[in-house]
């Protein structure tokens, strides 16, 4: 059935609400969206016929055991399929998911991040993406989402980044050599979308997604939308000053958060430790300082390297200060923290310990809910799949 633009807009609004707050009844969809009950019933009826959503069962209202029972609606799995990929200095990842974010195929290619010029070219990435698309042909994927290590310049079709490698990485080549529709977005914004669409707890609350990687970025989901989506400065959390007399950041300021907490600076400090300490365990783990990775650093931490412990505990301290400040400035029900650093349980526990030491304000009844999300090399790819789904199915 061909829909008018108005009908399509209403359909998108209803489907978005089922994704974010489902399972949810028709009458609650009507209350949440302002769409009349009759229209909600008609549109959801069509979506049930398409096997995009389904009826889950009846719910008796808590306030009364009598009266008409609500029938809950939920998203059906395997309705459609999407490919997601993440471009990263550590690896390139690919996954095929269904419309609920379930991974059906995946592939991770690890890169020598200290020599990206040789290990990652546009031709190599395009070839690998094409090969992955071919391996998914039986699922007839709708399109591709790509999570970028920077912002997406919609006009120039390029990556906006302070890193010259990514700035010069020509993603326009993909548009000419891949036959499926392709959508690009900042990797952390993709992760925020995926949290709302694939990991919803039925509340559709405002929340912050704080990603700690080579750089640092923070994205905010506000009233079902990415906040300040076109303002690339919003979210550059790494350049908040946490120590005015601290080290000089590449941005020209002193004491930026990323000079303590970002992977790039943690690696840089670990390389200095490698050069200047005879007792560091790093020398037992790698032969050359250029081979030091976050994984190497976490191994050194786990076996008790005193220098690494100092570097990482300082990073956690300043991250916790920033998170506590965010909770006082931004209306959010939770802050999700994600990064390879937190693969080490002791660092996750230390972050929570620092956060709990924050001076509580007597006027605030509820503590800020901080969730350390389990790190995975497929997180970005799944998130890119969510981007594609949001563009093609919901928006």
């Amino acid at each position: 059935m061909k829909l008018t633009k108005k009908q399509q807009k209403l359909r998108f609004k209803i489907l978005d609400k089922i994704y974010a707050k489902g399972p949810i009844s028709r009458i609650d969809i009507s209350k949440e969206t302002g769409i009349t009950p009759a229209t909600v019933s008609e549109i959801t009826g069509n979506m049930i016929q398409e096997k995009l959503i389904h009826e889950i069962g009846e719910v008796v209202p808590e306030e009364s055991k009598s009266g008409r029972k609500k029938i809950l609606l939920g998203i059906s799995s395997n309705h459609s399929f999407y490919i997601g990929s993440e471009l990263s200095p550590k690896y390139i990842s690919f996954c095929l998911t269904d419309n609920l974010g379930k991974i059906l195929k995946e592939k991770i290619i690890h890169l020598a991040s200290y020599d990206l010029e040789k290990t990652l070219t546009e031709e190599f990435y395009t070839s690998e993406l094409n090969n992955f698309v071919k391996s998914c042909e039986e699922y007839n994927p709708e399109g591709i989402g790509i999570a970028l290590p920077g912002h997406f310049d919609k006009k120039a079709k390029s990556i906006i980044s302070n890193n010259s490698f990514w700035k010069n990485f020509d993603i326009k080549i993909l548009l000419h050599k891949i036959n499926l529709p392709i959508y690009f977005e900042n990797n952390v914004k993709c992760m925020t979308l995926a949290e709302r669409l694939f990991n919803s707890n039925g509340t559709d609350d405002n929340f912050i997604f704080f990603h700690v990687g080579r750089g640092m970025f923070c994205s905010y989901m506000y009233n079902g939308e990415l906040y300040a989506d076109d303002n690339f400065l919003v979210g550059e959390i790494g350049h908040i000053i946490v120590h005015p007399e601290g080290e000089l950041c590449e941005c020209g300021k002193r004491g930026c958060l990323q000079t303590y907490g970002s992977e790039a600076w943690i690696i840089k400090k670990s390389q200095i430790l490698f050069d200047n300490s005879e007792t560091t365990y790093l020398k037992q783990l790698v032969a050359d300082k250029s081979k030091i990775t976050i994984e190497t650093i976490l191994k050194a931490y786990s076996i008790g390297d005193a220098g690494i412990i100092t570097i990482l505990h300082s990073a956690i301290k300043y991250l916790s200060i920033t998170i506590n400040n965010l909770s006082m400035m931004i209306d959010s029900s939770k802050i999700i923290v994600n990064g390879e650093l937190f693969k080490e349980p002791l660092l996750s526990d230390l972050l929570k310990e620092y956060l709990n030491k924050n001076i509580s304000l007597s006027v605030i009844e509820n503590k800020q809910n901080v969730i350390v999300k389990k790190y995975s090399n497929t997180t970005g790819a799944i998130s890119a799949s969510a981007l594609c789904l949001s563009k093609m199915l919901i928006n």
Side-chain angles (χ1 to χ4, degrees):
M1 182 182 72
K2 190 167 183 179
L3 301 176
T4 65
K5 284 187 178 180
K6 184 179 179 182
Q7 287 172 323
Q8 283 178 336
K9 191 174 179 182
L10 295 176
R11 175 189 166 98
F12 293 151
K13 200 171 182 180
I14 290 168
L15 185 57
D16 178 74
K17 193 57 64 178
I18 299 173
Y19 260 102
K21 295 205 75 168
I24 185 171
S25 69
R26 292 171 177 84
I27 191 63
D28 287 335
I29 292 171
S30 178
K31 288 176 182 175
E32 293 269 350
T33 61
I35 301 170
T36 65
T39 302
V40 170
S41 293
E42 180 186 0
I43 291 174
T44 54
N46 291 333
M47 288 194 282
I48 289 172
Q49 287 182 355
E50 295 167 29
K51 297 184 178 177
L52 175 52
I53 65 172
H54 62 281
E55 292 184 342
I56 292 174
E58 295 180 341
V59 165
V60 178
E62 289 181 10
E63 65 274 10
S64 172
K65 298 289 182 183
S66 61
R68 188 173 179 179
K69 295 176 182 177
K70 295 178 179 179
I71 298 175
L72 297 177
L73 301 174
I75 304 293
S76 300
S77 61
N78 295 320
H79 166 269
S80 47
F81 303 93
Y82 305 86
I83 289 173
S85 175
E86 182 181 20
L87 274 168
S88 155
K90 301 179 191 176
Y91 54 79
I92 52 175
S93 58
F94 305 98
C95 74
L96 172 78
T97 77
D98 73 354
N99 55 300
L100 279 173
K102 179 184 175 184
I103 295 182
L104 303 167
K105 280 178 179 281
E106 65 178 77
K107 184 176 182 180
I108 310 288
I109 301 171
H110 292 278
L111 304 170
S113 58
Y114 52 85
D115 196 9
L116 274 182
E117 299 283 350
K118 291 181 180 177
T119 57
L120 181 58
T121 65
E122 293 89 341
E123 292 74 19
F124 174 73
Y125 179 68
T126 305
S127 173
E128 289 295 335
L129 179 55
N130 253 325
N131 290 339
F132 189 78
V133 170
K134 285 176 186 174
S135 75
C136 301
E137 280 179 349
E138 63 185 290
Y139 292 93
N140 194 25
E142 302 285 330
I144 302 167
I146 299 181
L148 302 174
H151 296 287
F152 178 53
D153 185 329
K154 295 173 186 174
K155 266 189 176 179
K157 301 286 190 294
S158 63
I159 303 173
I160 298 173
S161 171
N162 290 328
N163 186 315
S164 59
F165 177 82
W166 297 116
K167 195 183 295 184
N168 297 319
F169 194 87
D170 188 4
I171 56 175
K172 289 193 292 293
I173 290 174
L174 301 175
L175 301 172
H176 302 299
K177 295 194 175 181
I178 306 289
N179 292 326
L180 289 172
I182 302 178
Y183 302 92
F184 302 95
E185 186 51 275
N186 169 268
N187 56 355
V188 186
K189 290 182 178 179
C190 289
M191 292 174 194
T192 310
L193 280 172
E195 279 299 319
R196 181 171 182 266
L197 296 176
F198 294 157
N199 299 307
S200 171
N201 59 3
T203 57
D204 200 18
D205 290 328
N206 299 334
F207 66 90
I208 298 166
F209 197 100
F210 190 150
H211 181 68
V212 181
R214 294 284 296 183
M216 310 175 83
F217 194 76
C218 159
S219 180
Y220 179 37
M221 182 62 68
Y222 180 69
N223 290 345
E225 301 282 347
L226 287 171
Y227 181 74
D229 193 24
D230 293 324
N231 186 338
F232 297 155
L233 272 179
V234 173
E236 289 292 350
I237 199 78
H239 295 291
I240 283 182
I241 295 172
V242 293
H243 190 330
E245 287 80 41
E247 295 184 58
L248 184 65
C249 178
E250 52 263 33
C251 74
K253 297 184 293 185
R254 286 196 174 273
C256 289
L257 174 64
Q258 72 172 28
T259 64
Y260 294 94
S262 72
E263 290 182 5
W265 276 79
I266 288 171
I267 290 171
K268 187 188 295 187
K269 290 177 181 180
S270 300
Q271 288 172 339
I272 293 170
L273 183 68
F274 184 95
D275 282 339
N276 295 283
S277 172
E278 293 302 321
T279 58
T280 179
Y281 294 136
L282 291 171
K283 292 181 178 179
Q284 298 174 25
L285 299 172
V286 290
D288 187 281
K289 69 177 181 181
S290 67
K291 303 293 176 67
I292 294 174
T293 64
I294 287 298
E295 189 175 356
T296 313
I297 292 165
L298 291 178
K299 281 181 185 175
Y301 179 83
S302 68
I303 57 178
D305 187 303
I308 292 298
I309 289 171
T310 299
I311 291 168
L312 292 184
H313 284 196
S314 177
I316 298 300
K317 173 187 172 184
Y318 286 110
L319 282 169
S320 69
I321 290 170
T322 305
I323 290 169
N324 277 327
N325 287 337
L326 282 176
S327 66
M328 289 186 285
M329 294 186 292
I330 300 175
D331 173 25
S332 66
S333 65
K334 60 187 175 186
I335 298 177
I336 299 165
V337 183
N338 177 248
E340 190 174 359
L341 281 180
F342 303 107
K343 283 172 69 175
E344 171 52 63
L346 291 175
L347 293 177
S348 291
D349 291 343
L350 184 63
L351 178 68
K352 291 170 185 173
E353 184 184 326
Y354 275 133
L355 290 170
N356 288 334
K357 283 180 180 176
N358 181 43
I359 299 171
S360 60
L361 302 176
S362 59
V363 293
I364 298 175
E365 294 180 3
N366 298 320
K367 279 188 177 180
Q368 176 68 60
N369 184 18
V370 178
I371 300 163
V372 178
K373 185 178 176 67
K374 186 178 178 182
Y375 178 83
S376 169
N377 288 348
T378 57
T379 297
I382 297 169
S383 302
S385 182
L387 167 71
C388 187
L389 176 145
S390 72
K391 296 290 187 183
M392 302 197 76
L393 192 64
I394 301 176
N395 293 322

